[in-house]
Amino acid sequence: MPDHPPARFIWRHVNHKVIRADGPERITFEWRHGDEKKTVRDYYRLETDQGDRYWIFRDVPANDGGRWWLHGMLG
């Protein structure tokens, strides 16, 4: 079951309030060819109250201590 998107996040020492989120978009891939371990990431597209848009993912589920990572900014 995917996690939910964050309600807020801090990037470059600024607290951003999320007003819209699309996702998750689940991406599964192997780190190395032939490796039995697979990585699953749930990506979200976020829009903040300032109108900025970001593409983020969590490295592992929240219950397992996962952290959010910024993958990119959307134009």
Side-chain angles (χ1 to χ4, degrees):
M1 184 61 105
D3 291 331
H4 53 81
R8 295 182 167 276
F9 66 97
I10 296 173
W11 186 61
R12 293 189 173 175
H13 307 286
V14 176
N15 192 340
H16 298 273
K17 180 180 177 184
V18 176
I19 61 168
R20 267 188 213 93
D22 291 325
E25 178 181 352
R26 178 159 284 179
I27 298 176
T28 305
F29 57 93
E30 296 180 21
W31 281 104
R32 293 182 298 265
H33 181 68
D35 191 352
E36 292 182 16
K37 290 185 178 182
K38 290 188 177 180
T39 300
V40 176
R41 292 181 178 170
D42 290 328
Y43 283 81
Y44 292 87
R45 288 171 302 281
L46 307 178
E47 183 177 341
T48 68
D49 59 348
Q50 299 297 310
D52 299 319
R53 295 176 14 175
Y54 300 89
W55 193 30
I56 66 164
F57 70 91
R58 189 188 299 270
D59 52 3
V60 297
N63 293 339
D64 296 334
R67 296 183 306 173
W68 289 106
W69 297 92
L70 177 67
H71 194 90
M73 296 182 70
L74 305 170

